[in-house]
Amino acid sequence: DAKTTQPTSMDCAEGRAANLPCNHSTISGNEYVYWYRQIHSQGPQYIIHGLKNNETNEMASLIITEDRKSSTLILPHATLRDTAVYYCIVSPTTDKLIFGTGTRLQVFP
Amino acid sequence: DTEVTQTPKHLVMGMTNKKSLKCEQHMGHRAMYWYKQKAKKPPELMFVYSYEKLSINESVPSRFSPECPNSSLLNLHLHALQPEDSALYLCASSLRTGRDTQYFGPGTRLTVL
């Protein structure tokens, strides 16, 4: 079973920041937080991952709370191409990624 | 080249047919994965290969038979499938198993009649 809870859907205006929350209250000390997204009819795409420090790359930022029980994925300037299902996954390894139901992000003009 | 390719894109087969799905990567990755994704559901892991050896089988029925003939190629042989096996089959690869990023292919959409 997935160990994360995400909102079913969110909307975001183009050009604005999209903040996608994820609860993982039972996360273990050796588990990382991974974010993937799946654009319609495509394979999932890796976005970012982190253990306890905040992380940033060219796609997004990941903010993990100090107690590690929740995190937020931030897309700083959402575009229409960011419309997708976003999956938050916690796992000690990438061998067995267990995808939850994810958040369907709709970016509108 | 960070591409995982899958063929065919679409496949329609009868319950008595035998068919194969193919996945290829040329990134030097030594871990490869098969996932199944039903409509409007998240992907579910089926198999993991590490250095051409099967390391994880998530209790997949024997009508699905994976094969990893070399480090670049992963096949999924299908035989006597049921209509409920209709789904998007996704292949992924990573440098190694562990914490390396998985790169996914576009998938093969399978319909079983």
Side-chain angles (χ1 to χ4, degrees):
Chain A
D1 290 336
K3 306 177 193 177
T4 62
T5 303
Q6 300 178 251
T8 303
S9 63
M10 296 182 65
D11 290 338
C12 179
E14 192 176 20
R16 304 298 293 268
N19 297 286
L20 290 89
C22 179
N23 285 321
H24 31 80
S25 58
T26 60
I27 192 170
S28 300
N30 65 342
E31 289 185 312
Y32 285 72
V33 180
Y34 296 90
W35 282 85
Y36 281 77
R37 73 180 183 185
Q38 189 171 21
I39 296 169
H40 183 61
S41 296
Q42 297 183 21
Q45 176 189 24
Y46 166 80
I47 302 172
I48 199 166
H49 75 280
L51 184 62
K52 53 184 177 181
N53 296 323
N54 297 338
E55 301 288 344
T56 295
N57 63 20
E58 65 278 4
M59 286 182 71
S61 295
L62 174 60
I63 309 297
I64 303 174
T65 57
E66 194 167 340
D67 63 7
R68 302 209 323 121
K69 293 186 177 182
S70 66
S71 60
T72 301
L73 178 75
I74 301 172
L75 307 179
H77 305 287
T79 71
L80 298 178
R81 287 175 296 187
D82 292 321
T83 292
V85 178
Y86 287 76
Y87 296 102
C88 169
I89 303 166
V90 295
S91 179
T93 73
T94 56
D95 298 8
K96 293 184 69 168
L97 293 179
I98 299 175
F99 289 78
T101 51
T103 296
R104 185 170 299 277
L105 176 69
Q106 179 70 53
V107 181
F108 57 91
Chain B
D1 181 8
T2 58
E3 191 178 25
V4 175
T5 59
Q6 292 187 244
T7 53
K9 283 189 168 57
H10 301 274
L11 179 62
V12 179
M13 61 185 289
M15 290 189 284
T16 58
N17 291 157
K18 286 185 182 181
K19 296 286 185 183
S20 296
L21 310 184
K22 178 179 170 182
C23 172
E24 205 160 3
Q25 57 84 16
H26 296 287
M27 295 179 277
H29 290 177
R30 303 309 298 270
M32 297 186 79
Y33 311 77
W34 280 115
Y35 289 81
K36 174 181 178 178
Q37 186 173 24
K38 301 277 284 181
K40 299 189 189 304
K41 298 290 187 183
E44 294 179 348
L45 182 67
M46 300 174 72
F47 302 104
V48 180
Y49 272 83
S50 178
Y51 289 86
E52 294 99 71
K53 291 195 183 332
L54 183 65
S55 61
I56 296 176
N57 176 344
E58 290 289 277
S59 303
V60 179
S62 60
R63 58 186 184 269
F64 295 91
S65 176
E67 179 197 20
C68 190
N70 60 58
S71 60
S72 300
L73 189 56
L74 184 66
N75 297 319
L76 186 63
H77 303 297
L78 315 171
H79 173 54
L81 294 194
Q82 304 296 311
E84 58 265 29
D85 296 321
S86 298
L88 181 69
Y89 288 85
L90 294 160
C91 173
S93 72
S94 64
L95 189 59
R96 296 170 303 268
T97 55
R99 296 205 187 97
D100 293 322
T101 300
Q102 285 191 31
Y103 294 88
F104 283 80
T108 292
R109 189 160 298 281
L110 174 68
T111 302
V112 182
L113 301 177

